[in-house]
Amino acid sequence: MMMKSIVAGLAGTALLATVAYAQSPTVTTDKAPTAATTATTTSTTATGQWRTSKMDGLKVYNEANENIGTINDLLMDKSGDIKIAVIGVGGFLGMGEHLVAVPYEKLKFVNEAVAYTGANQGAKPAATTTTGAATGTDKPAATTTSSTSKWYPDHAVFNASKDELKNMPEFKYSE
């Protein structure tokens, strides 16, 4: 009886080893390299870059520091260049909001918070701005701490009033 158990155990082990060997991948060298072996990465860090996922909901101000809306979406062409910013104007908690499309290059992005002080409430804040992309490196003399460690700017500036944006044609997504 003991001998039958040992023989059965050895046969089972041999059977399992055969199945495991059959599942091992075979290596052939006559094939061309696959895309995974030829793909390269640009960088392992992204200093000075902004995440588009963080741009959704970013406040948009005009030149007079009036909040005129928020960025709802960024639209890009097939080459990956962002061409249009969809801005939501008016409404409350997303209800009754009027969507307008503006050229992305017309937006100026600001890394510093909007300065609201009693003495210069209507004045433009001293801030680092970039147009259309995160390329600005000029630092103002006396401002709040820069947000270079964040993955998004503090806000955007578009030269229009809230009423001008509301009077623009409404943007609708096509199916």
Side-chain angles (χ1 to χ4, degrees):
M1 185 72 165
M2 177 81 115
M3 187 61 92
K4 287 184 182 180
S5 296
I6 292 174
V7 171
L10 287 174
T13 304
L15 184 59
L16 289 174
T18 305
V19 171
Y21 179 74
Q23 291 181 355
S24 297
T26 58
V27 178
T28 58
T29 57
D30 59 343
K31 290 184 179 179
T34 62
T37 59
T38 59
T40 59
T41 59
T42 57
S43 174
T44 58
T45 61
T47 305
Q49 304 286 323
W50 290 331
R51 294 176 59 185
T52 57
S53 62
K54 297 289 186 180
M55 301 295 265
D56 185 27
L58 191 72
K59 291 185 179 182
V60 180
Y61 292 85
N62 60 14
E63 298 288 337
N65 286 343
E66 298 168 331
N67 184 347
I68 58 173
T70 58
I71 294 177
N72 282 20
D73 210 347
L74 298 174
L75 306 177
M76 66 178 76
D77 62 13
K78 291 184 183 196
S79 68
D81 295 329
I82 299 173
K83 297 294 184 180
I84 295 173
V86 179
I87 298 177
V89 184
F92 180 72
L93 297 175
M95 301 297 293
E97 191 172 52
H98 180 75
L99 297 178
V100 295
V102 299
Y104 183 73
E105 67 270 2
K106 298 289 184 183
L107 291 174
K108 290 186 252 175
F109 292 96
V110 181
N111 288 327
E112 318 305 335
V114 176
Y116 289 111
T117 61
N120 58 351
Q121 190 170 5
K124 236 175 125 173
T128 302
T129 62
T130 60
T131 304
T135 58
T137 57
D138 298 336
K139 207 167 192 187
T143 61
T144 58
T145 306
S146 176
S147 61
T148 56
S149 63
K150 293 190 323 183
W151 285 93
Y152 55 96
D154 182 74
H155 65 278
V157 177
F158 184 71
N159 191 17
S161 70
K162 190 178 270 194
D163 289 333
E164 288 173 330
L165 287 177
K166 284 182 181 177
N167 290 331
M168 288 177 70
E170 185 171 5
F171 175 79
K172 296 194 185 230
Y173 293 97
S174 62
E175 295 292 327

